[in-house]
């Protein structure tokens, strides 16, 4: 039926040879007529192939669609089409021509670093280098380097470096493992048979309050009852709710200071990054923070120093002792620190004062050592610089320190504000140096 339809459709265009071939094909296809499934009509298939493949005559299409080199086949043989040129794909979004095809560039994943086998000693060494931030920072590239010798990986953030060490080198965890936290938090709720977890929290919406899965019960305590696991410091017993806060606190006991100053010749290290940022003000002469109190024009290098100074202008300012259960209040943080060291930590008085870092004078033959600000004042002894001048008419004297200038002005106004506090002594003077000399020589 199919061939008959094709034959009558193109009968006027077929030659005698084509008609002969058609008769032979019909004789060979009759036994297969029952088993061949026809999904499309011959007319539709022939016309579609004719217009798409651009055959020369419908007779050629008829023969090619029904014959193969191996014999009779129900699947038409489609010759190769002449490839048509498609417009070249481009990723240039600025090209607005009609033929331009804008293609979204696929993001390529970086190849994973293969896992390297390390001995337990090497893993502990990697862990310690990461904790101390030792040999992992490159000041030239401003990137964190993998502390393993033969590993070329570097990261922009310390968190990415930690993930690399954990996945690629199997470095041990820095903090408390997740499973340990889950076990410690769910242990009080474990049933006597050790098979179930029973929630005894009030207002529990879980039917029967019984859980078979430990992790599901752990999430239930946190999500439904807001009961976060406690992290107890192994050194002092202080309790924390967040692992990050516990890690920062633990550095106090282990004296771990991972944040190092990268200025040449400076060996400062801090426990936290804010401490390092606070220290960096030492290496600059800028004092952008101005006290807003009326009549006070002092400037400071950091916002923290300005805040501490502003508290001195408030006559009602008091700060409470940081120890639990202590109700003592102090006017400044300095005296609160002294109180904590003396009373709560039991340190001797000579260890309670803050020990300033000593700097050596670089003048040839000078052995002076002192704090950084005192060192700058001391150098005026060698240079002979006297920056403070008296503004009294016809005086013109200059002094090395501002305190010396203030003592000198007492002579012009005829005042003796400095008094000896020794019992029964009425000595008064206008110069602090004279007062120290008087106490040293008179009240031995």
């Amino acid at each position: 039926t199919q061939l008959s339809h094709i034959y009558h459709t193109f009968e006027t265009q077929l030659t005698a040879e084509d008609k002969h071939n058609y008769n032979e094909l019909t004789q060979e296809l009759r036994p297969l007529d029952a088993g061949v499934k026809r999904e499309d009509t011959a007319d539709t298939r022939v016309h579609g192939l004719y217009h798409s493949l651009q055959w020369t005559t419908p007779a050629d299409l008829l023969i090619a669609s029904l014959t193969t080199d191996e014999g009779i086949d129900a699947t038409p043989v489609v010759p190769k089409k002449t490839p048509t040129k498609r417009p070249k794909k481009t990723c240039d979004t600025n090209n607005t021509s009609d033929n331009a095809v804008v293609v979204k560039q696929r993001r390529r994943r970086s190849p994973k670093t293969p896992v390297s086998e390390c001995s337990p000693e090497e893993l502990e060494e990697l862990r310690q280098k990461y904790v101390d931030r030792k040999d992992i920072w490159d000041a030239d590239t401003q990137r964190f380097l993998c502390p393993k010798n033969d590993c070329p990986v570097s990261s922009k953030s310390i968190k990415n470096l930690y993930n690399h060490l954990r996945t690629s080198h199997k470095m041990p965890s820095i903090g408390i493992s997740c499973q340990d936290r889950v076990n410690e938090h769910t242990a009080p709720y474990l049933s006597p048979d050790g098979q179930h977890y029973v929630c005894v929290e009030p207002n529990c919406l879980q039917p029967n309050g019984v859980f078979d899965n430990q992790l599901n019960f752990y999430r239930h305590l946190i999500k439904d009852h807001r009961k976060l696991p406690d992290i107890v410091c192994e050194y002092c017993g202080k309790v924390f709710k967040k692992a990050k806060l516990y890690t920062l606190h633990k550095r106090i006991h282990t004296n771990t200071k991972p944040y190092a100053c990268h200025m040449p010749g400076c060996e400062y290290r801090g426990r936290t990054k804010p401490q390092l940022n606070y220290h960096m003000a030492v290496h600059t002469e800028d004092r952008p923070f101005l006290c807003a109190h009326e009549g006070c024009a002092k400037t400071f290098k950091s916002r923290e120093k300005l805040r501490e100074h502003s508290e001195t202008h408030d006559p009602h300012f008091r700060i409470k002792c940081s120890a639990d259960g202590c109700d003592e209040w102090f006017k400044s943080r300095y005296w609160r620190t002294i109180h904590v060291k003396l009373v709560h930590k039991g340190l001797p008085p000579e260890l309670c004062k803050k020990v300033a870092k000593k700097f050596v004078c670089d003048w040839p033959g000078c052995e002076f050592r002192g704090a950084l600000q005192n060192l700058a004042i001391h150098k005026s002894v060698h240079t002979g610089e006297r920056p403070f001048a008296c503004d009294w008419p016809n005086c013109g004297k200059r002094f090395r320190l501002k305190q010396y200038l203030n003592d000198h002005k007492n002579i012009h106004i005829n005042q003796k504000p400095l008094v000896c506090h020794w019992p029964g002594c009425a000595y008064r003077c206008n110069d602090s140096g004279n007062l120290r000399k008087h106490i040293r020589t008179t009240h031995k």
Side-chain angles (χ1 to χ4, degrees), residues 262-425:
H262 303 295
M263 296 297 293
C266 184
E267 299 178 356
Y268 173 84
R269 299 184 70 91
R271 289 191 297 270
T272 62
K273 195 170 185 179
Q275 288 183 354
L276 177 61
N277 296 336
Y278 180 80
H279 158 79
M280 294 305 294
V282 176
H283 299 288
T284 179
E285 298 298 330
D286 298 336
R287 307 176 74 91
F289 300 96
L290 175 65
C291 180
H293 192 269
E294 184 179 358
C296 182
K298 287 187 175 182
T299 57
F300 300 89
K301 294 182 178 181
S302 63
R303 193 182 303 274
E304 179 67 20
K305 284 291 185 182
L306 174 61
R307 183 179 64 83
E308 294 179 0
H309 166 76
S310 301
E311 295 170 353
T312 61
H313 293 297
D314 184 6
H316 304 291
F317 173 77
R318 294 292 184 274
I319 184 169
K320 190 177 181 298
C321 178
S322 58
D324 296 337
C326 184
D327 297 330
E328 293 289 336
W329 292 79
F330 304 90
K331 184 172 175 55
S332 66
R333 285 180 169 78
Y334 172 78
W335 291 112
R336 184 187 69 170
T337 303
I338 297 296
H339 163 77
V340 171
K341 290 182 178 180
L342 280 174
V343 178
H344 300 291
K345 293 186 177 180
L347 298 177
E350 57 270 14
L351 297 179
C352 293
K353 292 185 178 180
K354 183 179 179 180
V355 180
K357 187 176 181 179
K358 300 295 183 180
F359 293 87
V360 182
C361 178
D362 55 359
W363 195 268
C366 183
E367 299 179 355
F368 176 84
R369 297 174 63 90
L372 190 62
Q373 60 271 20
N374 295 336
L375 182 62
I377 298 174
H378 163 77
K379 284 186 177 181
S380 62
V381 176
H382 303 295
T383 60
E385 184 181 3
R386 296 173 178 265
F388 302 98
C390 179
D391 56 358
W392 194 267
N394 301 324
C395 180
K397 283 189 175 182
R398 304 182 69 87
F399 300 89
R400 188 169 59 88
L401 302 178
K402 190 174 182 180
Q403 181 183 354
Y404 297 166
L405 174 62
N406 296 334
D407 293 343
H408 167 75
K409 286 184 178 181
N410 293 331
I411 300 175
H412 294 298
I413 60 179
N414 196 24
Q415 285 187 358
K416 296 182 178 181
L418 304 177
V419 181
C420 178
H421 296 283
W422 195 268
C425 184

Side-chain angles (χ1 to χ4, degrees), residues 64-327:
S65 63
L66 298 175
T67 62
T68 62
D69 296 338
E70 299 177 357
I72 305 301
D73 191 1
T75 305
V77 178
V78 181
K80 294 183 179 179
K81 290 178 58 176
T82 303
T84 57
K85 293 185 178 180
R86 295 184 179 181
K88 186 178 181 180
K89 296 181 180 179
T90 178
C91 294
D92 186 9
T93 55
N94 297 324
N95 189 357
T96 56
S97 61
D98 296 338
N99 296 329
V101 179
V102 179
V103 180
K104 185 177 180 181
Q105 187 176 5
R106 293 184 63 184
R107 182 178 179 182
R108 294 183 178 180
R109 294 184 178 180
S110 57
K112 294 184 178 180
T113 306
V115 178
S116 61
E117 297 294 336
C118 299
S119 63
E121 293 77 12
E122 292 177 339
L123 291 177
E124 185 58 30
E125 183 181 359
L126 289 179
R127 180 180 180 276
Q128 195 61 40
K129 285 185 177 181
Y130 174 81
V131 170
D132 298 336
R133 303 294 196 272
K134 185 179 179 182
D135 301 333
I136 66 173
W137 174 254
D138 187 1
D140 297 334
T141 60
Q142 298 292 312
R143 295 177 69 88
F144 293 95
L145 307 179
C146 179
K148 192 168 176 21
N149 296 332
D150 55 350
C151 183
V153 175
S154 63
S155 306
K156 290 184 178 180
S157 65
I158 192 67
K159 182 178 180 181
N160 292 340
L161 177 62
Y162 178 75
N163 294 335
H164 162 73
L165 291 173
R166 292 278 291 151
T167 56
S168 299
H169 302 303
K170 301 301 179 182
M171 184 186 74
S173 176
I174 299 300
I176 302 175
S177 65
C178 180
Q179 188 59 44
D180 292 341
R181 295 185 65 185
V182 172
N183 294 338
E184 185 177 355
H185 195 41
T186 58
Y189 303 91
L190 187 62
S191 61
D193 58 358
Q195 301 295 329
H196 308 284
Y197 293 91
V198 182
C199 181
V200 295
E201 299 295 328
N203 302 324
C204 183
L205 301 179
Q206 180 69 18
N208 301 326
V210 178
F211 293 81
D212 296 332
N213 185 275
Q214 183 188 27
L215 187 58
N216 291 341
F217 178 64
Y218 176 78
R219 294 171 178 170
H220 165 76
L221 291 176
I222 297 176
K223 182 178 180 181
D224 297 342
H225 299 291
R226 306 295 179 184
K227 193 174 180 61
L228 299 176
D230 294 335
I231 305 177
V232 182
C233 177
E234 57 184 311
Y235 296 95
C236 63
K238 194 172 182 179
V239 179
F240 298 89
K241 293 295 183 182
K242 294 184 178 180
K244 183 178 180 180
L245 298 179
Y246 167 70
T247 302
L248 297 177
H249 166 78
K250 190 177 179 180
R251 291 174 182 170
I252 300 176
H253 301 291
T254 59
N255 197 27
T256 302
K257 297 180 178 180
Y259 296 92
C261 178
H262 303 295
M263 296 297 293
C266 184
E267 299 178 356
Y268 173 84
R269 299 184 70 91
R271 289 191 297 270
T272 62
K273 195 170 185 179
Q275 288 183 354
L276 177 61
N277 296 336
Y278 180 80
H279 158 79
M280 294 305 294
V282 176
H283 299 288
T284 179
E285 298 298 330
D286 298 336
R287 307 176 74 91
F289 300 96
L290 175 65
C291 180
H293 192 269
E294 184 179 358
C296 182
K298 287 187 175 182
T299 57
F300 300 89
K301 294 182 178 181
S302 63
R303 193 182 303 274
E304 179 67 20
K305 284 291 185 182
L306 174 61
R307 183 179 64 83
E308 294 179 0
H309 166 76
S310 301
E311 295 170 353
T312 61
H313 293 297
D314 184 6
H316 304 291
F317 173 77
R318 294 292 184 274
I319 184 169
K320 190 177 181 298
C321 178
S322 58
D324 296 337
C326 184
D327 297 330

